[in-house]
Amino acid sequence: MEETAGAVNEENAGGQFLVRRVVVANQLGLHARPAGALAQLAQSFTSDISLECDGQEVDAKSILDLLTLAAAQGTRLDLKARGEDAESALDRIEKLFKERFGEGK
């Protein structure tokens, strides 16, 4: 069974960040089009939103930052959000990953 989103949903010790583990499931990875869709969606929220992979954390509202992750298919990412609409932001962004950014494979 292929994993597209993880069960990680926890707050840090300060209770400020919500974290969910997501997996890049689309065949071409987090290339320009899905990164653009992700950044555009993240920008619609007031919360601080970031993605972390192998110790590298980037601003999810910046397409250029997202592209520096070079996240290929199967890459696991920690999606983090802090702010009043953090839960909603994580729900919507996680859905993008689960739906493979509309790319089918």
Side-chain angles (χ1 to χ4, degrees):
M1 181 173 162
E2 189 171 300
E3 181 183 7
T4 57
V8 176
N9 187 13
E10 59 191 47
E11 295 181 45
N12 71 357
Q16 297 180 2
F17 283 96
L18 297 176
V19 181
R20 290 195 192 158
R21 180 149 303 137
V22 294
V23 177
V24 178
N26 52 314
Q27 187 175 24
L28 298 176
L30 195 58
H31 62 88
R33 196 193 67 73
L38 197 163
Q40 186 173 21
L41 178 59
Q43 290 168 9
S44 69
F45 295 96
T46 60
S47 293
D48 295 326
I49 305 168
S50 62
L51 280 171
E52 183 176 341
C53 178
D54 296 331
Q56 180 184 3
E57 186 168 335
V58 300
D59 182 357
K61 296 181 180 183
S62 166
I63 185 172
L64 292 177
D65 278 10
L66 294 171
L67 290 173
T68 64
L69 292 173
Q73 184 180 34
T75 301
R76 295 171 189 262
L77 304 164
D78 285 336
L79 174 62
K80 301 178 176 182
R82 175 182 59 192
E84 63 185 51
D85 56 1
E87 185 75 36
S88 178
L90 293 184
D91 288 346
R92 297 273 311 277
I93 294 171
E94 182 181 33
K95 185 177 177 186
L96 272 181
F97 280 91
K98 285 182 175 178
E99 294 176 348
R100 302 172 187 239
F101 297 93
E103 294 186 342
K105 290 184 179 181

